[in-house]
Amino acid sequence: MSLTFNNRTALVTGAGRGIGRAIAETLARHGVTVICVSKSADSCGAAAAAITAAGGKAKALAVDVADGAAIAQAAEALLAEFPAIDMLVNNAGITRDGLLFRMSEADWNDVISTNLSSCYHWTKHLARPMTRARWGRIVNITSVSGIMGNAGQANYSAAKAGMIGLTKSLAREFAGRNVTVNAVAPGFIKTDMTTDFVNNPEMAGKVLEAVPLKRFGEAADIANMTAYLCAEEANYITGQVFTVDGGMAM
Ligand code: NAP
């Protein structure tokens, strides 16, 4: 099935590495101009350079998404530079795992602000022009941890569950303006975030016991679902959470 994108523009957070980079590259291959946001300039710079080298259109922008004021400033400049930012993929995320009694307030706050509050800030700034244009796509990259919970990830699971509530509420708020809001919930995907246990045969074996397809996912698996939700063809889908997890959260 071919997907229709009509030369639109997307902003993807956490586009420097892993899942975000795969999403940025996939959208760019479909002719979308991609604003690649990451924390380090090197990381988003490399992603944007790779897209441009492959014939796509991209801009790199280093923004700390845990900083609401930095997002406000970046969004204002982008809306002055681009005639429209039609798609927003809130993908940037971190983990700071630990059992609750040992979890510091800093680890709680860092995870909530990077994974969840960032979505509030980016959406608040970029969704208004989408509603005016009567077209927009917002995809929030949550996690199966936000659906099932996970011991040692109270901060991360709370942030990811919060993203699901945000997704469903905003889907209802924006539906009348033809702006869809959906979430993708990855299971275990091979990226820098999961290197420690993917490369540890004992830990990997334990994790895969819970995955019916018996393998880790690839960043491209998440990128394909996200690209579909951003395409014209997904115009009747909003407020949904799509798990891409090898069957783990059935
Ligand atoms: P990753 O490989 O660690 O990459 C994370 C990306 O987010 C990087 O580009 C990083 O920027 C960016 N980022 C982190 N903190 C940031 C901040 N404060 N400001 C701006 N950018 C920031 O992670 P991933 O595995 O691709 O995960 C992507 C998303 O999928 C996350 O939301 C994660 O929670 C979710 N997820 C992943 C898995 C998995 O198995 N991998 C499973 C479920 C959900 P730099 O490159 O500059 O460091």
Side-chain angles (χ1 to χ4, degrees):
M1 175 187 182
S2 67
L3 298 176
T4 313
F5 287 90
N6 296 328
N7 297 314
R8 294 187 186 270
T9 298
L11 184 141
V12 181
T13 70
R17 293 182 280 124
I19 291 169
R21 180 154 173 174
I23 293 169
E25 291 179 346
T26 302
L27 290 174
R29 275 198 299 279
H30 285 286
V32 174
T33 300
V34 185
I35 302 158
C36 300
V37 170
S38 71
K39 192 165 184 180
S40 99
D42 284 353
S43 170
C44 57
I51 288 172
T52 310
K57 285 169 277 176
K59 173 190 175 76
L61 191 63
V63 182
D64 180 356
V65 304
D67 179 348
I71 292 174
Q73 205 177 10
E76 192 183 338
L78 287 170
L79 291 171
E81 181 180 347
F82 289 87
I85 298 174
D86 313 287
M87 305 163 191
L88 167 62
V89 181
N90 285 306
N91 162 81
I94 56 166
T95 51
R96 296 282 182 272
D97 296 352
L99 296 171
L100 184 75
F101 295 142
R102 284 189 226 134
M103 185 179 287
S104 69
E105 195 172 345
D107 284 348
W108 173 268
N109 286 333
D110 285 351
V111 167
I112 298 292
S113 55
T114 304
N115 293 272
L116 177 59
S117 304
S118 59
C119 302
Y120 157 80
H121 290 291
W122 280 115
T123 308
K124 194 161 179 188
H125 293 289
L126 298 187
R128 194 185 291 277
M130 293 181 198
T131 61
R132 281 201 209 103
R134 302 286 197 273
W135 201 96
R137 296 280 193 265
I138 299 169
V139 181
N140 296 321
I141 308 301
T142 173
S143 168
V144 288
S145 294
I147 298 171
M148 303 168 71
N150 195 15
Q153 289 199 308
N155 49 2
Y156 183 75
S157 302
K160 294 304 193 185
M163 289 173 72
I164 292 173
L166 182 75
T167 298
K168 290 174 183 270
S169 295
L170 295 182
R172 292 182 187 278
E173 285 190 28
F174 300 156
R177 302 298 177 105
N178 197 33
V179 174
T180 66
V181 190
N182 291 291
V184 177
F188 288 101
I189 310 299
K190 282 188 268 175
T191 68
D192 292 347
M193 189 179 266
T194 51
T195 314
D196 284 353
F197 58 79
V198 168
N199 293 333
N200 175 327
E202 201 181 318
M203 280 165 81
K206 257 192 179 151
V207 164
L208 291 180
E209 278 172 22
V211 180
L213 284 179
K214 297 293 170 217
R215 56 184 167 80
F216 293 103
E218 304 289 337
D221 296 324
I222 310 305
N224 289 337
M225 173 58 83
T226 305
Y228 177 71
L229 292 170
C230 287
E232 294 289 342
E233 284 74 7
N235 63 27
Y236 200 53
I237 302 173
T238 197
Q240 304 304 309
V241 184
F242 296 89
T243 48
V244 180
D245 66 349
M248 187 168 55
M250 264 191 266

